[in-house]
Amino acid sequence: AGPPGFVALDTATVLDYCAGKASIADALGGASTRKEWSAKEVGDGNINFVYIVTGSGGNAVIVKQGLPYVRCVGEAWPLTQERVRYEAEALQTAHGYCPAHVPVVYEYDAPMSVIAMRYLEPPHIILRGGIISGTIYANLASHVGEYLATTLFGSSALKVGCEAQRRARAAFGQNEAMCALTEQVIFTEPYAKAENNHWTSPQLDDAAKALRSDNELKVAICALKNKFASDAAALLHGDLHTGSIMCTMDTTFVIDHEFAFYGPMGFDVGAFVANLLLAYFAQDGYDGDRAKQREWLLSCVKETWGVFASRFRELWNEEGISSDTSGLAPGSLFSAAAGAEGDVDAALRAHQDKFIDDVWKDTLGFAGAKMTRRIVGIAHVADLDSIGDADARARCETNALRCARRMILEAGSLSVDDVCAMAKELRGGA
Amino acid sequence: AGPPGFVALDTATVLDYCAGKASIADALGGASTRKEWSAKEVGDGNINFVYIVTGSGGNAVIVKQGLPYVRCVGEAWPLTQERVRYEAEALQTAHGYCPAHVPVVYEYDAPMSVIAMRYLEPPHIILRGGIISGTIYANLASHVGEYLATTLFGSSALKVGCEAQRRARAAFGQNEAMCALTEQVIFTEPYAKAENNHWTSPQLDDAAKALRSDNELKVAICALKNKFASDAAALLHGDLHTGSIMCTMDTTFVIDHEFAFYGPMGFDVGAFVANLLLAYFAQDGYDGDRAKQREWLLSCVKETWGVFASRFRELWNEEGISSDTSGLAPGSLFSAAAGAEGDVDAALRAHQDKFIDDVWKDTLGFAGAKMTRRIVGIAHVADLDSIGDADARARCETNALRCARRMILEAGSLSVDDVCAMAKELRGGA
Ligand SMILES: Nc1ncnc2c1ncn2[C@@H]1O[C@H](COP(=O)(O)OP(=O)(O)O)[C@@H](O)[C@H]1O
Ligand SMILES: Nc1ncnc2c1ncn2[C@@H]1O[C@H](COP(=O)(O)OP(=O)(O)O)[C@@H](O)[C@H]1O
Ligand SMILES: [Mg+2]
Ligand SMILES: [Mg+2]
Ligand SMILES: [Mg+2]
Ligand SMILES: [Mg+2]
Ligand SMILES: [Mg+2]
């Protein structure tokens, strides 16, 4: 299977493959050092194969290959390799907007469905693991806030104009196969009887059943699905959970853009917020005193949003006032220098306030949807799954589900402070 | 200019052109009758050339050709002929959904930028002209409501599913050049100083100036522009004013889909509503007693919305409950037969209520935007322009502008009855 020219790599053949690609071979110390190279497969993801290829002098490169099916299921769940093109383009685009927080791509090989990119060397680890082990990442919120602001603003019609954005959307494509997965596992199955669903049973049986007959929630989740399906505001990561972020105490990188598509900004912001809150609710299932990390997780929610909002506004002020009629904030309406009349500063502020507030409302709804699906849907998170005691885990999950429901239903009225206060209260106030 | 193979037609060459296309020649009685044929150019539109080609036995065909520029401006305003492809596809798609109210296409010739379609024979006239002359079209609302419901539902993810809709969107394309015109002339220029703008002066000078420094309105219009630019919910007509509708007392046809794109449903509904309300406000500038027609225009607004909403819901009930997870109303959530739990009928009703209510809110905002631009922007409507007395015209226009402003700013709270009552009140209660 696979397209013409496709061959599935392994730890042996990947070395020859790298030697044959100048951009990769150079990063490994040159093809002439080929004999010193070695590879190991480290894909802990569910979908693809990821090789660390180590060259001479300790240089290393990541070679990620997508197969024509879902790795953890096998050929029984085919998946189009088009996703690798989406991932490569989104990675490269995001790196352009935010080089500090996105690995550089050395090579994208379409027929082989391969992306070669910078190896994020130790001590980089997957953020989810770091959080589970109790680490506090003091720079995380500002880095992720910066990533979100630069990528979402950069690909928006605010920055590029409506007409150019339509062209960019047409050129990028729809990534409909990966979006269909999201539509299935996030916006549908958790609220239905579905073979894929599972949960801590019997403790959560009633909660899961309640989801399936919660009319208010069903309506709200369908509205979110509709927004996901039809709002093409910015080029999203599409799967920005804490397993798609690698970090050290000082650095933060976003990887794994294979779900990228033009969608609603709040979907990316919400994914990150959801995973912080899941980590927060999981804490009661762990041994030891994690009060400090718990506080940090909530402050990280607040700070991520704060950094995102202020950086987004800053970019807008600097690069979002268009000189033509194609922008979402044309100078002819908002810049006195361009002839706009009235109190243009107040007008611009009000425009920005409303725009950013709408992103926040979407953020809340999408975050709630993501939290819910991680507890009753197909794919859970290690934060909760690593809690061995089922009763303890169920208590954490119940709190998270309650928080999620209110985030979805009260998205129109909750501030970020409200959400953090509510999360605290739901887990008992401590 | 124009693509390879393009030649601008005239009333002479269009006959040979038709003889050379079997589908057209057949509709004209066969190529062998070529000697009996005649053509005249009737394009009263601003953009394209439209020929009525009459064949043997009175058969006739419409041949519409797009040139690489805007007809009424000339080569100084180039316009991509890609628009003809969008128009042809949208016409054919809409005819598929609603054959009773969209002319059939006989031929689309890409290199020649030609669409040949059914000739809407007399007494079909352009609706705007009929309304201006005082006619009451008793079936108009139900026909346009049906057109709107079938085309907007038919192309929505409710009907086809999110994944298939993404593919359809990719295949259709973005029509970014025509959308850019809308973004310019509807969502930007009326609120800015722009050479294109004009209005009844000096009577409306203050009102026009007020628009340029109305911060609330600027913010709201930018939010509408954002929705126009990013919400790809359904394949729209994109320019559904009363000059894009031809009718008799019994029949109604929608033509001129060259602005078609995947956009927010309320944009099409709002275009029609806006033009009914503009006609309503214009009435005070006409001689004679038009009380009956005035009442009819408001009832037409109500009935169009009523027919749209109930027909849309009916289609949804019949064809909008998906058997897979890709739909916006999956059976697994909303159909007991498909295993959905809880009071699924109430859930579905609530889902539909919210969805349709959101379309109404958008309808109001877009309608207000369209009314405003027809009074201070580049292209006005004959309903108002035909009022010779400038003071009388200005009074009508002032009322319409006030109504439009409230529709935009109070879109969240006005029902269709509220809007009609408000329109009545603004023009003095009679
Ligand atoms: N650039 C990189 N540097 C270091 N490790 C990486 C890099 N990219 C991926 N990995 C490792 O490979 C794992 C799987 O990568 P990921 O892109 O998430 O694949 P999948 O699409 O299968 O989820 C990551 O969790 C991480 O451990
Ligand atoms: N199918 C048709 N049957 C009869 N007349 C038509 C038909 N299509 C267009 N016309 C006439 O030609 C005019 C211009 O057509 P239209 O499609 O609106 O062109 P434009 O894109 O230039 O606005 C219409 O107003 C109408 O008078
Ligand atoms: Mg991954
Ligand atoms: Mg992945
Ligand atoms: Mg679990
Ligand atoms: Mg026209
Ligand atoms: Mg036209």
Side-chain angles (χ1 to χ4, degrees), chain A residues 47-48 64 239 256 258-259:
Chain A
I47 302 188
N48 302 293
K64 179 172 179 179
D239 193 26
D256 198 10
E258 70 191 321
F259 284 83

Side-chain angles (χ1 to χ4, degrees), chain B residues 42-48 50 62 64 87 103 117-120 126 243 246 255-256 258:
Chain B
V42 297
D44 58 355
N46 297 318
I47 303 188
N48 302 293
V50 176
I62 287 287
K64 180 172 178 179
E87 178 169 356
M117 72 185 98
R118 173 180 164 184
Y119 170 55
L120 298 167
I126 288 288
M246 296 191 72
I255 60 169
D256 198 10
E258 72 191 317

Side-chain angles (χ1 to χ4, degrees), chain A residues 85-367:
Chain A
R85 204 244 326 143
Y86 290 110
E87 177 169 357
E89 283 196 24
L91 257 172
Q92 287 165 310
T93 304
H95 179 79
Y97 298 136
C98 192
H101 302 300
V102 183
V104 68
V105 170
Y106 301 130
E107 185 85 29
Y108 162 55
D109 181 342
M112 283 290 283
S113 299
V114 160
I115 298 169
M117 72 184 100
R118 173 179 163 186
Y119 171 54
L120 298 167
E121 69 291 345
H124 281 101
I125 57 168
I126 287 288
L127 173 59
R128 190 185 302 286
I131 290 176
I132 291 171
S133 72
T135 310
I136 289 173
Y137 294 95
N139 299 308
L140 180 67
S142 77
H143 290 172
V144 175
E146 170 77 10
Y147 170 85
L148 288 167
T150 52
T151 57
L152 299 180
F153 179 82
S155 60
S156 76
L158 278 165
K159 166 65 180 166
V160 302
C162 298
E163 188 175 0
Q165 205 212 28
R166 286 188 194 277
R167 276 196 299 271
R169 269 149 43 182
F172 186 77
Q174 291 280 345
N175 205 358
E176 64 272 8
M178 302 307 278
C179 286
L181 287 180
T182 301
E183 286 145 7
Q184 173 183 348
V185 304
I186 297 182
F187 295 112
T188 310
E189 288 182 348
Y191 310 90
K193 277 188 204 128
E195 288 200 5
N196 287 323
N197 289 345
H198 60 104
W199 53 80
T200 302
S201 180
Q203 290 87 344
L204 259 60
D205 288 0
D206 286 349
K209 188 173 172 50
L211 286 176
R212 298 194 300 270
S213 50
D214 187 332
N215 284 1
E216 262 189 292
L217 205 56
K218 282 185 187 177
V219 171
I221 211 72
C222 286
L224 288 164
K225 187 182 195 178
N226 187 26
K227 179 160 276 236
F228 177 88
S230 61
D231 180 5
L235 181 56
L236 307 190
H237 180 281
D239 193 26
L240 192 58
H241 56 80
T242 46
S244 297
I245 296 174
M246 296 191 73
C247 56
T248 67
M249 299 309 290
D250 304 313
T251 55
T252 308
F253 287 91
V254 175
I255 60 168
D256 198 10
H257 291 65
E258 70 191 321
F259 284 83
F261 74 112
Y262 275 87
M265 298 187 184
F267 189 74
D268 266 7
V269 188
F272 184 63
V273 166
N275 280 270
L276 294 176
L277 289 174
L278 288 171
Y280 175 80
F281 284 109
Q283 296 247 336
D284 290 311
Y286 303 151
D287 294 331
D289 178 7
R290 301 186 54 147
K292 279 228 180 74
Q293 202 203 18
R294 222 160 44 219
E295 275 307 309
W296 167 71
L297 284 164
L298 291 188
S299 71
C300 196
V301 170
K302 291 185 206 181
E303 196 189 338
T304 301
W305 176 253
V307 169
F308 167 77
S310 69
R311 188 73 174 102
F312 193 92
R313 195 186 292 260
E314 185 177 76
L315 289 164
W316 185 334
N317 287 331
E318 287 165 5
E319 306 167 29
I321 313 297
S322 71
S323 58
D324 60 26
T325 57
S326 191
L328 290 182
S332 58
L333 272 68
F334 295 104
S335 158
E341 296 179 28
D343 184 349
V344 295
D345 293 340
L348 182 60
R349 242 178 353 258
H351 184 12
Q352 293 172 333
D353 287 348
K354 175 171 168 34
F355 191 103
I356 294 169
D357 192 52
D358 285 346
V359 176
W360 171 249
K361 285 175 185 143
D362 293 350
T363 294
L364 273 178
F366 288 126

Side-chain angles (χ1 to χ4, degrees), chain B residues 63-237:
Chain B
V63 175
K64 180 172 178 179
Q65 185 175 45
L67 267 57
Y69 52 82
V70 175
R71 174 186 186 160
C72 65
V73 181
E75 313 222 1
W77 192 330
L79 196 59
T80 168
Q81 286 165 303
E82 263 290 282
R83 71 185 187 276
V84 184
R85 203 237 336 136
Y86 290 110
E87 178 169 356
E89 283 197 23
L91 257 172
Q92 288 165 310
T93 304
H95 179 79
Y97 297 136
C98 193
H101 302 299
V102 184
V104 68
V105 170
Y106 301 130
E107 184 85 31
Y108 163 54
D109 182 343
M112 283 291 282
S113 299
V114 160
I115 298 169
M117 72 185 98
R118 173 180 164 184
Y119 170 55
L120 298 167
E121 70 291 345
H124 281 100
I125 58 167
I126 288 288
L127 171 60
R128 190 185 304 285
I131 290 176
I132 291 171
S133 72
T135 310
I136 289 174
Y137 294 95
N139 299 307
L140 181 67
S142 77
H143 290 173
V144 175
E146 169 77 11
Y147 170 85
L148 288 166
T150 53
T151 58
L152 299 180
F153 178 82
S155 60
S156 75
L158 278 165
K159 166 67 179 166
V160 303
C162 298
E163 187 174 3
Q165 206 211 28
R166 287 188 193 276
R167 276 196 299 272
R169 268 148 47 181
F172 187 77
Q174 291 281 346
N175 204 359
E176 64 271 10
M178 302 306 279
C179 286
L181 287 179
T182 301
E183 286 145 7
Q184 174 184 348
V185 303
I186 298 181
F187 295 113
T188 310
E189 288 182 349
Y191 311 89
K193 278 188 203 128
E195 289 200 5
N196 288 324
N197 290 345
H198 60 104
W199 52 80
T200 302
S201 182
Q203 290 88 341
L204 259 59
D205 288 0
D206 286 348
K209 187 171 173 52
L211 285 176
R212 298 195 299 271
S213 51
D214 186 332
N215 283 2
E216 261 188 293
L217 205 55
K218 281 185 187 177
V219 171
I221 210 72
C222 286
L224 288 165
K225 188 183 194 178
N226 186 26
K227 179 160 277 241
F228 177 88
S230 60
D231 179 6
L235 181 55
L236 307 189
H237 180 282

